[in-house]
Amino acid sequence: MKLSQVAAQIYTVRDYLSDADAFAKSIRRLREIGYPAVELIPSDKISDKEIAAICRGEGMAVAAAHVPGKTLLAEPKAIVEKLQTVGAKIGAYAFPGGVDLGSADQVNRLADQLQNAAAVLAGSNLILAYHNHAMEFSRLDGELVYEILHKRAPSLSFEFDTYWGQVGGVSPERWIQKLGSHLVSLHMKDYGVPSKHDDAPFMAEIGYGNLDFPVLISEAEKVGCQCFVVEQDFTPGNPFDSLEKSFRYVKEKLVEA
């Protein structure tokens, strides 16, 4: 993995993105930590043009962007325009809002809509990637929902989230291998185990949980993964401190010398 392939998911610092000035300060701080790129989230407070201008001004690349799911499924051409405006090659479908993953009809319909959207984006040399949580590893008629999406939408790429894969009870290493060339982005979140029996697992900084990231990164590189995104939905303190802690480990232990 090269340093140029590493990005910070700005959802981690979502509480520091209230307006254009706050967004600029946050991007500047991430750049100072050392991140060369970010992955965006939808914003109803800052325009895409403003976001693009701020990132350019701070020397921050936009590696990918999570996009509004309903807009993507209903009007994928609008997402093409959005990605072109912010300068991202990868658009990620972040969450299957409103979809009952226990319904075969709804899962199949989602897969067909994602296939159509992926084809529209591909027509403009853009990539649509599905970002998972744990629920996609539930079973529907004996088959993993994730497997159904993978098979029924052949043009769809994937942004595999390591933490949620682990929570979902599957092997992140095996799924990285199985996705193969369809894996375009890896969401790097570590899996922390509590010291007390009744406490829940938690998201940890990279290198401070139990996931074997050297192996996961090696397998992702073998299949041509393009982007490695650091994200931590919840942090024990200031999220910038956690992103910096993760970045130090990534740079020292995972990035090619």
Side-chain angles (χ1 to χ4, degrees):
M1 175 174 65
K2 298 177 181 178
L3 185 59
S4 60
Q5 293 176 285
V6 177
Q9 168 51 269
I10 64 171
Y11 182 75
T12 310
V13 295
R14 58 196 177 278
D15 294 335
Y16 297 81
L17 307 173
S18 58
D19 55 31
D21 287 341
F23 184 89
K25 290 177 182 177
S26 295
I27 294 298
R28 187 174 307 123
R29 186 164 181 184
L30 292 173
R31 194 71 188 91
E32 289 170 351
I33 289 172
Y35 285 98
V38 290
E39 181 175 56
L40 301 175
I41 57 175
S43 175
D44 57 3
K45 299 174 182 177
I46 315 167
S47 72
D48 291 336
K49 289 183 178 180
E50 284 181 298
I51 288 172
I54 290 170
C55 289
R56 281 197 304 271
E58 297 299 334
M60 183 71 83
V62 177
H66 281 196
V67 300
K70 290 183 179 180
T71 303
L72 172 75
L73 300 181
E75 194 180 353
K77 289 184 179 179
I79 299 302
V80 169
E81 182 178 351
K82 183 180 186 69
L83 294 174
Q84 291 174 336
T85 299
V86 298
K89 182 179 179 181
I90 300 171
Y93 180 76
F95 188 82
V99 180
D100 179 3
L101 299 185
S103 164
D105 288 343
Q106 290 194 36
V107 170
N108 289 338
R109 182 171 184 270
L110 173 62
D112 293 343
Q113 289 176 308
L114 289 169
Q115 169 65 18
N116 174 66
V120 172
L121 266 63
S124 295
N125 295 315
L126 300 171
I127 298 170
L128 176 60
Y130 188 101
H131 170 268
N132 65 280
H133 291 81
M135 57 195 177
E136 288 88 355
F137 300 106
S138 60
R139 290 192 179 273
L140 182 59
D141 298 328
E143 191 171 18
L144 296 179
V145 171
Y146 200 66
E147 181 75 69
I148 295 170
L149 296 174
H150 181 38
K151 292 194 302 185
R152 193 174 175 98
S155 297
L156 182 65
S157 294
F158 289 83
E159 179 173 69
F160 186 81
D161 189 297
T162 57
Y163 175 88
W164 288 119
Q166 184 75 13
V167 173
V170 301
S171 165
E173 179 182 354
R174 177 177 175 274
W175 265 103
I176 288 170
Q177 295 167 345
K178 189 167 184 175
L179 289 171
S181 61
H182 287 268
L183 177 73
V184 294
S185 177
L186 191 70
H187 253 211
M188 299 191 294
K189 297 179 188 173
D190 217 335
Y191 184 90
V193 176
S195 59
K196 295 182 179 180
H197 172 70
D198 293 332
D199 288 351
F202 56 91
M203 294 179 185
E205 290 81 4
I206 308 303
Y208 294 86
N210 285 354
L211 292 179
D212 193 344
F213 274 101
V215 170
L216 297 182
I217 297 304
S218 176
E219 293 302 318
E221 287 184 300
K222 289 177 184 177
V223 299
C225 184
Q226 300 176 23
C227 189
F228 298 84
V229 183
V230 177
E231 182 182 28
Q232 194 170 339
D233 300 17
F234 304 101
T235 61
N238 187 294
F240 289 99
D241 293 340
S242 287
L243 284 175
E244 184 169 7
K245 189 174 180 179
S246 289
F247 181 80
R248 286 199 301 267
Y249 178 86
V250 169
K251 186 177 180 180
E252 293 172 7
K253 304 293 185 179
L254 303 177
V255 169
E256 296 175 356

